[in-house]
Amino acid sequence: MYGKEVTVGGWAQEVRNLGGISFLQLRDSHGVVQVTLLKKRNKELFDLVASIPRESVLRVTGEAKQSKEARAGYEILPSKIDILSKAETPLPLGVVDKVGADLDTRLNNRFMDLRKDEVKAAFRIKSVTLQGIRQFLSSQGFTEVSTPKIVAAGAEGGATLFQVKYFDRNAYLAQSPQLYKQNLMATGLDRIFEIAPAFRAEASDTIRHIAEFTSLDVELAFIESSDDVMEVAEGIVINSLRHVREHAKPELKALGVDIGEPLTPFPRVKYADAVEMVRSRGMKLEPGEDLGTEGEKLLGDVMIEEKKADLYFITEFPTALKRSTFYAKRRDDDPELTGYFDLDYRGQEIVSGGQREHRYDVLTEQMRENNLSLESFEFYLKAFRYGMPPHGGFGFGVERYVQKMLNLPNIREAVLYPRDRSRLTP
Ligand code: ATP
């Protein structure tokens, strides 16, 4: 385009005025272009640019010219500049300033925060990750489904339910599509997945919990054991990491992240052995006790040091820890153990799942153990009375995955507009 007239639109990132010459850095989603203004050539435009507040949106028409001095290797000599939208001053948040703002200020001004390349990059990568996941799952014969997010009963315990008014009744926001995806296992849609928001009224303020997250839920029928389920979870991670490596190079560069090939197959550590591993590192934990956040972290360190493994399964969760997961199948040969697993990424759980209990009698017994009213789960239970194949699946936290993939310090960095105890806007 050198020597030709071009028109570009973007944000006025910075104006450097050197007296007779000034440089306007105009930024759009592709990068930054230098617009060079000579006072003696066009005083009117020169003065206009000098008065434009940073971050205003402009349309610039002019000649594209090769330039050794301009960072991009070319510049635009303008003949026309329109101010499409003038920015107020001062800015609520700097875009190119070196001084970092705290996360709250950034989230309160997310539209401005997202003008920074490294902030935007995480969301481009999240999108590429979801593409990779969808591609892999459809190649494996999975059907994408949508299930209701306004529900009559929770599946993950009452403590984290959000109640909503539903006409003249009470309803809840779905904590997970658990009951529906199991319901679908009775239909012949043997392999399904859903990518949708899940809502949890998480009371504590942590770097890995939010009140609304994107849950990738997978369920498959006619399985032999939890191994079939783990295989799918592993496939999703390996393939989506590869997809990101191949299709998000500039974004990974902007974030300074290098995603290596994970060690495969992902190592598997039995829950009981995981407890012993962290105990041998000095953590006070009784056998069978919940690893908790600290235990998970410590196990992550051990797995990296000893096995060079970023990603690993913790398997055979004890029944005692999964009792409230009323739909979890306990092992036939040892009812004190389940086939449930977590997939952890550098010391943080990202996936949790396993084989479900598909036998009506056993399932209802486990529900009674949890003092659940069978009537309020009738729609769920009914499907188990008319032919339900053995099945299993998992819930996969998309933001937690992106957080660990990109070494983001807080899960909120992987959510455009996070929801938590204190945040309802923007
Ligand atoms: P945790 O013990 O870490 O609170 P959980 O056991 O409640 O998680 P599950 O109910 O097993 O989690 O949900 C499956 C996956 O969904 C988790 O592995 C995680 O990736 C994601 N997830 C669950 N709760 C949240 C949350 N509040 N914010 C973000 N992701 C979540």
Side-chain angles (χ1 to χ4, degrees):
M1 301 288 287
Y2 294 140
K4 299 218 172 93
E5 190 182 85
V6 296
T7 297
V8 290
W11 285 266
Q13 181 165 287
E14 227 174 348
V15 178
R16 243 172 354 116
N17 195 332
L18 305 180
I21 185 166
S22 72
F23 303 102
L24 158 69
Q25 303 295 337
L26 192 71
R27 183 191 69 243
D28 77 353
S29 55
H30 302 282
V32 178
V33 65
Q34 175 175 296
V35 180
T36 305
L37 297 114
L38 292 169
K39 196 173 188 172
K40 61 173 193 253
R41 193 171 149 177
N42 192 332
K43 177 151 187 325
E44 206 181 313
L45 278 191
F46 187 91
D47 291 344
L48 175 78
V49 163
S51 73
I52 292 172
R54 273 207 217 181
E55 294 302 317
S56 299
V57 175
L58 312 179
R59 179 171 51 211
V60 176
T61 300
E63 184 196 333
K65 198 171 158 250
Q66 206 161 6
S67 154
K68 284 210 183 67
E69 287 79 37
R71 208 178 306 158
Y74 57 91
E75 61 189 350
I76 296 174
L77 304 176
S79 51
K80 189 164 181 264
I81 296 182
D82 298 316
I83 301 180
L84 302 182
S85 169
K86 191 169 169 179
E88 281 184 20
T89 54
L91 298 173
L93 188 71
V95 175
V96 282
D97 310 29
K98 291 281 169 282
V99 221
D102 63 69
L103 185 60
D104 260 336
T105 310
R106 290 180 38 214
L107 293 176
N108 288 340
N109 300 283
R110 200 50 149 168
F111 69 94
M112 188 65 85
D113 186 42
L114 283 160
R115 292 184 190 180
K116 298 175 199 151
D117 278 345
E118 69 281 12
V119 177
K120 240 190 318 268
F123 295 97
R124 290 237 170 95
I125 294 171
K126 186 176 178 181
S127 164
V128 174
T129 303
L130 288 171
Q131 252 172 34
I133 292 173
R134 284 196 165 94
Q135 253 180 34
F136 172 72
L137 285 171
S138 65
S139 79
Q140 301 296 306
F142 282 82
T143 303
E144 183 163 5
V145 301
S146 302
T147 65
K149 300 303 152 214
I150 304 175
V151 297
E156 309 294 323
T160 63
L161 274 173
F162 282 112
Q163 202 173 32
V164 292
K165 222 170 150 272
Y166 188 67
F167 304 106
D168 53 357
R169 278 181 290 172
N170 283 327
Y172 306 97
L173 296 181
Q175 292 163 312
S176 99
Q178 184 64 35
L179 306 181
Y180 291 94
K181 57 182 188 164
Q182 287 195 258
N183 204 262
L184 286 169
M185 293 299 98
T187 64
L189 284 169
D190 283 344
R191 293 157 86 80
I192 56 119
F193 75 99
E194 176 168 19
I195 298 174
F199 304 91
R200 307 255 174 118
E202 302 280 2
S204 51
D205 188 18
T206 79
I207 55 163
R208 59 195 201 125
H209 289 98
I210 34 177
E212 179 178 1
F213 67 94
T214 311
S215 186
L216 158 64
D217 275 274
V218 170
E219 203 73 24
L220 50 156
F222 295 101
I223 60 168
E224 295 293 333
S225 73
S226 292
D227 287 347
D228 298 335
V229 182
M230 279 188 265
E231 204 179 293
V232 178
E234 185 163 335
I236 289 175
V237 172
I238 294 170
N239 285 281
S240 58
L241 287 181
R242 188 176 301 146
H243 196 74
V244 168
R245 266 201 311 273
E246 285 169 10
H247 298 279
K249 290 195 176 103
E251 289 79 11
L252 288 171
K253 192 164 166 226
L255 282 163
V257 172
D258 185 15
I259 302 178
E261 280 274 354
L263 177 73
T264 54
F266 295 169
R268 295 181 181 192
V269 185
K270 291 184 180 147
Y271 189 86
D273 295 338
V275 170
E276 283 317 309
M277 283 160 82
V278 300
R279 270 159 59 96
S280 72
R281 291 278 177 124
M283 187 170 165
K284 288 204 172 53
L285 206 65
E286 293 305 314
E289 206 182 323
D290 195 346
L291 275 175
T293 314
E294 282 316 302
E296 274 178 30
K297 246 197 230 155
L298 190 52
L299 181 67
D301 296 342
V302 178
M303 291 306 287
I304 289 170
E305 282 166 32
E306 293 183 4
K307 305 246 188 308
K308 306 262 173 297
D310 285 346
L311 286 143
Y312 46 89
F313 287 107
I314 307 174
T315 62
E316 298 188 13
F317 266 72
T319 299
L321 291 181
K322 290 288 173 191
R323 225 172 269 289
S324 64
T325 309
F326 61 85
Y327 45 82
K329 184 174 185 305
R330 298 169 191 175
R331 274 173 54 157
D332 294 327
D333 59 341
D334 182 359
E336 293 311 309
L337 291 179
T338 68
Y340 260 57
F341 65 85
D342 277 0
L343 173 59
D344 283 26
Y345 198 168
R346 270 186 252 112
Q348 181 169 293
E349 172 198 327
I350 57 165
V351 182
S352 186
Q355 180 165 6
R356 325 295 191 187
E357 182 50 71
H358 71 283
R359 296 163 298 182
Y360 183 80
D361 296 346
V362 186
L363 176 63
T364 46
E365 191 44 47
Q366 292 183 185
M367 292 175 80
R368 279 195 202 96
E369 243 180 54
N370 279 284
N371 298 318
L372 293 173
S373 125
L374 300 190
E375 291 89 75
S376 48
F377 286 85
E378 173 54 14
F379 94 88
Y380 168 70
L381 286 171
K382 199 172 183 181
F384 288 80
R385 293 200 294 267
Y386 298 93
M388 174 65 89
H391 62 275
F394 52 83
F396 182 127
V398 173
E399 287 85 8
R400 278 208 197 162
Y401 178 41
V402 173
Q403 181 191 358
K404 294 310 281 189
M405 185 197 297
L406 304 178
N407 296 318
L408 302 173
N410 193 314
I411 191 168
R412 289 162 183 77
E413 301 276 3
V415 189
L416 285 170
Y417 304 100
R419 287 289 173 266
D420 59 31
R421 226 184 142 76
S422 60
R423 194 163 275 287
L424 191 53
T425 55

